[in-house]
Amino acid sequence: MLELKKISKVYETEDLKQTALDCISINFRKNEFASILGPSGSGKTTLLNIIVGLDQYTSGDLIINEVSTKKYTDRDWDSYRNHRVGFVFQSYNLIAHQTILKNVELALTLSGVSKTERVKKAKKALKEVGLLKHMNKKPSQLSGGQMQRVAIARALVNDPDIVLADEPTGALDSETSKQIMELLKSVAKEKLVIMVTHNPELASEYSNRIIKLKDGKIIDDTNPYDGTVNTKEDLEVEKKKPKKTSMSFLTALSLSLNNLMTKKGRTPLTAFAGSIGIIGIALILSLSSGVQNYINRVQEETLTSYPLVIEESSIDLTSAINERREEILNDKDKKMIKIKKLLLIIPLLIL
Ligand code: ADP
Ligand code: MG
């Protein structure tokens, strides 16, 4: 149901080409618990990110349910991520200000499921990981092992076919790690679980397949699969069509309001900062138009001291007036420009 065909991933930075995955081919069974082992930098995280569609392969092909992902659109990837795979992170990635019920429920908001259905499914998932009675606690009120259970419940709530876990026990003590492994093992009875781990003992104790990576290559696979023994059940699962990803308007609205309410301090502060900017611009505009008016008035007053006189004999005073006028204006203009500059700087300083 999930097959990697000669997948390579090359990261290109300014001065360096880094081959994170080098022509990897793996075929996974419909349900198994596969562990991926390898030293740091061997490409484990890159492999998971490519399987979950968070990163794109450079060459090769990823086959999901016998369909090549080469022509997958963004929408296809969204739909796949929201309905077919669940991801468990080492650092849990829980939302701190939401209860754990809400944390699990949130994974369903993009699935177009109604609110009551969401709560029902989230409670069921929390029950499966043994945390139902803690559902109204915030993540900070839980232990590391419990937080990882919430993360697993969140990965399971959508009933995905594939569950991926990146070092899920990396931050846990050995006893708690075992409990998490038991949980993943039971999940793997019905689903494909792919787990990256640093711990070979846990991998060999709990998983039924160990794939070893080194420098982006597979150096060992304890239980390879060639994809030929597809049972009827396999084919049925493969035909399961993913639904479209969607979120109702009300859900979106309630999520945004919720988000706004949790940042009570930040919202007025942003509004305050924004208004300072707007007030500043208004101040600059009004000052500059006021100064312009003042200049016009001064000009008019200055020129009224040269009234129009009609005489019998004509003398051409125009040039004399113009000269004098320019002198006065130059003088006034210089002063005005100075005042204008000063007035423009004051609001900028305030900002
Ligand atoms: P692992 O999870 O096994 O420790 P990774 O998959 O994170 O290894 O990384 C594999 C290699 O790819 C490493 O050499 C790493 O430096 C490189 N790499 C990973 N992500 C990036 C990235 N975003 N940009 C450039 N290089 C990366
Ligand atoms: Mg890693």
Side-chain angles (χ1 to χ4, degrees):
M1 64 176 281
L2 183 73
E3 188 180 0
L4 287 87
K5 275 190 175 167
K6 296 187 178 168
I7 291 260
S8 291
K9 175 70 189 178
V10 182
Y11 286 111
E12 278 187 55
T13 41
E14 274 161 32
D15 50 348
L16 189 75
K17 259 190 173 184
Q18 175 86 40
T19 306
L21 293 179
D22 191 2
C23 205
I24 294 238
S25 296
I26 320 174
N27 204 343
F28 290 100
R29 293 175 182 82
K30 182 173 87 61
N31 53 331
E32 66 178 342
F33 189 177
S35 288
I36 297 176
L37 278 176
S40 190
S42 55
K44 306 182 294 296
T45 301
T46 309
L47 184 67
L48 285 196
N49 284 343
I50 283 178
I51 293 176
V52 83
L54 286 173
D55 214 342
Q56 292 295 310
Y57 43 85
T58 315
S59 64
D61 196 2
L62 176 69
I63 316 275
I64 301 169
N65 292 336
E66 290 174 39
V67 177
S68 159
T69 53
K70 273 186 186 160
K71 291 200 176 113
Y72 257 37
T73 59
D74 285 350
R75 221 187 154 84
D76 291 332
W77 280 117
D78 277 349
S79 171
Y80 166 68
R81 273 194 296 264
N82 280 302
H83 299 281
R84 311 302 299 274
V85 281
F87 209 108
V88 180
F89 303 87
Q90 179 183 344
S91 47
Y92 325 125
N93 282 13
L94 300 177
I95 303 169
H97 63 260
Q98 301 275 23
T99 63
I100 62 168
L101 179 66
K102 194 81 188 166
N103 262 286
V104 176
E105 206 194 293
L106 274 174
L108 284 170
T109 45
L110 287 174
S111 316
V113 184
S114 73
K115 171 86 181 164
T116 39
E117 187 74 0
R118 283 207 303 267
V119 175
K120 208 172 115 191
K121 285 191 170 186
K123 282 186 181 167
K124 183 171 166 265
L126 281 173
K127 195 174 171 196
E128 273 167 35
V129 299
L131 281 179
L132 190 59
K133 63 171 189 270
H134 298 278
M135 68 181 188
N136 290 320
K137 283 189 180 171
K138 300 261 171 78
S140 59
Q141 295 165 315
L142 299 177
S143 69
Q146 286 173 325
M147 281 199 268
Q148 194 54 292
R149 279 166 188 275
V150 178
I152 293 173
R154 186 184 51 189
L156 293 178
V157 72
N158 241 336
D159 194 22
D161 306 322
I162 307 167
V163 174
L164 302 169
D166 195 357
E167 299 191 33
T169 58
L172 302 177
D173 60 79
S174 61
E175 197 46 48
T176 323
S177 296
K178 281 184 181 167
Q179 292 166 5
I180 294 292
M181 283 294 140
E182 285 290 350
L183 186 59
L184 286 175
K185 193 177 168 184
S186 68
V187 170
K189 283 184 190 141
E190 288 178 358
K191 300 176 192 299
L192 166 61
V193 178
I194 306 174
M195 173 186 76
V196 161
T197 179
H198 262 126
N199 191 324
E201 288 87 41
L202 282 184
S204 58
E205 195 179 338
Y206 292 93
S207 52
N208 61 318
R209 181 175 181 184
I210 296 174
I211 298 164
K212 283 193 183 136
L213 282 187
K214 196 176 177 222
D215 299 331
K217 292 192 186 75
I218 295 178
I219 52 166
D220 190 27
D221 185 347
T222 57
N223 192 4
Y225 173 57
D226 63 3
T228 49
V229 271
N230 261 334
T231 61
K232 252 187 186 173
E233 246 177 84
D234 282 342
L235 288 172
E236 263 166 35
V237 167
E238 275 155 19
K239 282 190 186 119
K240 214 168 97 184
K241 275 259 170 202
K243 284 183 272 163
K244 276 187 187 152
T245 302
S246 63
M247 188 195 268
S248 76
F249 176 71
L250 270 180
T251 312
L253 198 69
S254 89
L255 276 178
S256 353
L257 280 179
N258 199 317
N259 192 30
L260 212 62
M261 291 315 286
T262 54
K263 299 179 179 72
K264 287 190 200 83
R266 205 191 294 172
T267 314
L269 215 66
T270 316
F272 178 63
S275 47
I276 288 182
I278 296 167
I279 291 169
I281 290 169
L283 217 66
I284 292 172
L285 285 176
S286 57
L287 277 175
S288 78
S289 85
V291 170
Q292 189 60 51
N293 286 346
Y294 178 65
I295 292 171
N296 290 345
R297 210 172 57 242
V298 170
Q299 278 180 7
E300 277 167 19
E301 276 167 11
T302 318
L303 287 173
T304 46
S305 52
Y306 296 95
L308 202 65
V309 182
I310 301 171
E311 280 179 8
E312 221 175 312
S313 57
S314 72
I315 308 162
D316 186 7
L317 279 174
T318 334
S319 57
I321 291 170
N322 277 350
E323 245 170 54
R324 175 76 184 123
R325 186 179 146 191
E326 263 161 32
E327 255 172 42
I328 294 166
L329 281 184
N330 277 347
D331 230 30
K332 293 271 175 199
D333 264 357
K334 274 179 200 160
K335 273 185 203 158
M336 281 308 127
I337 286 168
K338 266 186 200 161
I339 296 171
K340 218 172 169 180
K341 272 187 190 161
L342 208 71
L343 288 175
L344 281 175
I345 287 167
I346 294 168
L348 282 179
L349 284 177
I350 296 172
L351 284 180

